[in-house]
Amino acid sequence: MRRGRPQGHLRGRGSEAVAFRQERRKIRHVALPKSKFAFLTLPRYSMIALSNAVEPLRMANTLTGQTVYEWSIASLDGASTPASNGLQLSPTVPLEQLGPVDILFVCGGVRVQEAVSPKILSALRRIAERRVPLGALCTGGYALAKAGLLDKYRATIHWENLSALREEFPRIQLSDQLFSIDRDRFTCSGGVAPLDLMLHLIELKLGARVSQLISEQFIVDRVRDDRDRQYVPLRAQIGVSHESLIKVAQLMEENIERPLSLDEIAGATGLSRRQIERLFKRHLNCVPKRYYLQMRLRRARELLLQTSMPIIDITTACGFQSPPHFSRCYRAQFGCPPSAERSGRTAKPAAPDRGAEPIAPG
């Protein structure tokens, strides 16, 4: 007798596969508009960021059975650019020979200031003059900022570069979001966050079900949106020289379920209330109570979206007095009550087609 997995397991897997094939057949019967993206690779760009941007496009084509997305890897002169891990991609085309594209993404990585040359800046400005939508992955936003192409836009960049860009480019509305879409600018932090941005763009173009099928193929439990924030270590926000403030924040994080009073925090850290308040105001521009509340709400959102804990248990675990109190605070912070946050993740309506017309960069 052949050995293997239990028959019940096979039946379960078989039914899932049949349902998946049926959904894919439905999608393939609809003619879909095409889009083309281009990725300008700067020296030492982040390979993980670029891969997480391209792979959802490939999977969208596979699931729909159509070439819904095309993409090109570009460099200034057409030569393959070494990534930060030493690998190179081909084919790579010269930037000026791209032809029509819907979005040009600038892909950055380590030592991005050295990678942004005057020729790169001039090329980006010429493309922007032709009204080509521009985006950036990881530190690629620095090139757009240096070229003056993010002035008066909302934008984001990898958390390691946030403080420096805020100082150097005060006309940009920088945030710590995973990604930001503001008119014809599409900026994204690094790592795996480009996957979330692309799934969002795919949902806008092809609908929520296609985006969901792609996330299932990639074993993504939760697709994050532009309300999600990068986790920015406190040391990166304020520097390593403010150990007293870091100690206070760590104490808060260790006491989420039963929040400490400011007097208790002062007694445990050897600081006075006034000293703590001054530290938060000077370095974080908020009062300690507000910082503590935001910390607890972030923890609550993680539990809502990543676990099946009842809301009443999350209320208690995050130190709120009652479900109504929790709901009011949550709505004020995230724009919806906890119940809507959780239900919205499991039953999102299909989004309308908002595909852009191709615009030639050259």
Side-chain angles (χ1 to χ4, degrees), residues 61 75 79 96 101 139 185 228 269 294 296 311 359:
N61 290 348
S75 68
E96 296 296 339
V101 295
T139 62
R185 296 293 184 267
D228 285 283
T269 59
Q294 289 175 340
R296 290 158 51 212
I311 291 178
I359 304 174

Side-chain angles (χ1 to χ4, degrees), residues 121-253:
L121 298 177
S122 297
L124 290 173
R125 292 182 185 117
R126 287 196 300 272
I127 291 171
E129 287 172 359
R130 300 182 180 97
R131 300 186 182 279
V132 177
L134 296 170
L137 307 181
C138 194
T139 62
Y142 176 83
L144 297 182
K146 190 73 173 176
L149 302 177
L150 290 180
D151 288 356
K152 298 183 180 180
Y153 280 92
R154 284 184 293 104
T156 191
I157 197 169
H158 190 278
W159 61 262
E160 286 184 318
N161 302 82
L162 272 172
S163 296
L165 255 69
R166 285 194 177 109
E167 291 293 326
E168 188 173 354
F169 306 105
R171 291 169 61 83
I172 303 173
Q173 301 170 35
L174 282 162
S175 79
D176 60 354
Q177 293 170 273
L178 288 174
F179 63 85
S180 178
I181 299 175
D182 185 3
R183 292 161 286 169
D184 56 351
R185 296 293 184 267
F186 305 80
T187 53
C188 184
S189 58
V192 299
L195 173 64
D196 300 284
L197 170 61
M198 290 300 169
L199 288 173
H200 180 78
L201 295 177
I202 289 168
E203 179 176 332
L204 293 177
K205 182 182 179 66
L206 303 178
R209 190 55 186 141
V210 175
S211 176
Q212 183 179 351
L213 288 171
I214 294 170
S215 67
E216 290 171 0
Q217 285 291 301
F218 291 157
I219 319 177
V220 175
D221 292 332
R222 179 174 79 87
V223 180
R224 300 170 294 178
D225 59 29
D226 58 356
R227 289 184 299 151
D228 285 283
R229 296 290 194 265
Q230 300 180 62
Y231 174 72
V232 183
L234 186 60
R235 289 180 184 271
Q237 295 182 54
I238 64 175
V240 297
S241 60
H242 302 291
E243 289 295 334
S244 296
L245 182 53
I246 292 169
K247 187 176 180 180
V248 171
Q250 288 175 338
L251 191 61
M252 290 176 173
E253 193 163 5

Side-chain angles (χ1 to χ4, degrees), residues 39-342:
F39 299 90
L40 172 61
T41 51
L42 301 179
R44 298 174 297 275
Y45 69 92
S46 168
M47 181 71 79
I48 189 173
L50 177 56
S51 298
N52 275 284
V54 170
E55 283 299 291
L57 308 180
R58 177 190 65 81
M59 186 55 69
N61 290 348
T62 299
L63 290 174
T64 60
Q66 304 175 44
T67 307
V68 183
Y69 289 99
E70 295 179 349
W71 57 90
S72 297
I73 308 300
S75 68
L76 194 61
D77 58 3
S80 295
T81 308
S84 59
N85 60 9
L87 300 179
Q88 295 175 262
L89 296 177
S90 63
T92 301
V93 301
L95 182 60
E96 296 296 339
Q97 295 180 18
L98 276 177
V101 295
D102 291 276
I103 306 175
L104 171 70
F105 289 94
V106 183
C107 304
V110 299
R111 304 206 304 274
V112 67
Q113 290 89 346
E114 300 173 17
V116 177
S117 66
K119 288 184 178 180
I120 288 285
L121 298 177
S122 297
L124 290 173
R125 292 182 185 117
R126 287 196 300 272
I127 291 171
E129 287 172 359
R130 300 182 180 97
R131 300 186 182 279
V132 177
L134 296 170
L137 307 181
C138 194
T139 62
Y142 176 83
L144 297 182
K146 190 73 173 176
L149 302 177
L150 290 180
D151 288 356
K152 298 183 180 180
Y153 280 92
R154 284 184 293 104
T156 191
I157 197 169
H158 190 278
W159 61 262
E160 286 184 318
N161 302 82
L162 272 172
S163 296
L165 255 69
R166 285 194 177 109
E167 291 293 326
E168 188 173 354
F169 306 105
R171 291 169 61 83
I172 303 173
Q173 301 170 35
L174 282 162
S175 79
D176 60 354
Q177 293 170 273
L178 288 174
F179 63 85
S180 178
I181 299 175
D182 185 3
R183 292 161 286 169
D184 56 351
R185 296 293 184 267
F186 305 80
T187 53
C188 184
S189 58
V192 299
L195 173 64
D196 300 284
L197 170 61
M198 290 300 169
L199 288 173
H200 180 78
L201 295 177
I202 289 168
E203 179 176 332
L204 293 177
K205 182 182 179 66
L206 303 178
R209 190 55 186 141
V210 175
S211 176
Q212 183 179 351
L213 288 171
I214 294 170
S215 67
E216 290 171 0
Q217 285 291 301
F218 291 157
I219 319 177
V220 175
D221 292 332
R222 179 174 79 87
V223 180
R224 300 170 294 178
D225 59 29
D226 58 356
R227 289 184 299 151
D228 285 283
R229 296 290 194 265
Q230 300 180 62
Y231 174 72
V232 183
L234 186 60
R235 289 180 184 271
Q237 295 182 54
I238 64 175
V240 297
S241 60
H242 302 291
E243 289 295 334
S244 296
L245 182 53
I246 292 169
K247 187 176 180 180
V248 171
Q250 288 175 338
L251 191 61
M252 290 176 173
E253 193 163 5
E254 292 165 1
N255 292 273
I256 295 289
E257 185 169 349
R258 193 192 75 80
L260 302 176
S261 69
L262 191 54
D263 286 331
E264 289 174 314
I265 293 172
T269 59
L271 301 169
S272 69
R273 287 178 57 105
R274 188 176 295 276
Q275 284 176 312
I276 294 173
E277 289 168 346
R278 280 202 301 262
L279 284 170
F280 275 85
K281 180 63 177 175
R282 182 184 307 146
H283 300 293
L284 297 174
N285 197 31
C286 69
V287 298
K289 184 178 180 180
R290 181 64 183 169
Y291 181 88
Y292 208 170
L293 176 61
Q294 289 175 340
M295 179 185 290
R296 290 158 51 212
L297 287 169
R298 284 196 301 271
R299 176 72 59 83
R301 191 164 193 252
E302 289 174 4
L303 294 174
L304 274 170
L305 298 175
Q306 299 177 16
T307 75
S308 58
M309 284 178 64
I311 291 178
I312 184 66
D313 292 347
I314 295 175
T315 300
T316 303
C318 296
F320 291 94
Q321 299 169 0
S322 65
H325 176 228
F326 173 44
S327 184
R328 284 195 302 272
C329 294
Y330 197 94
R331 183 192 290 272
Q333 178 72 14
F334 298 114
C336 66
S339 56
E341 181 83 89
R342 177 169 276 174

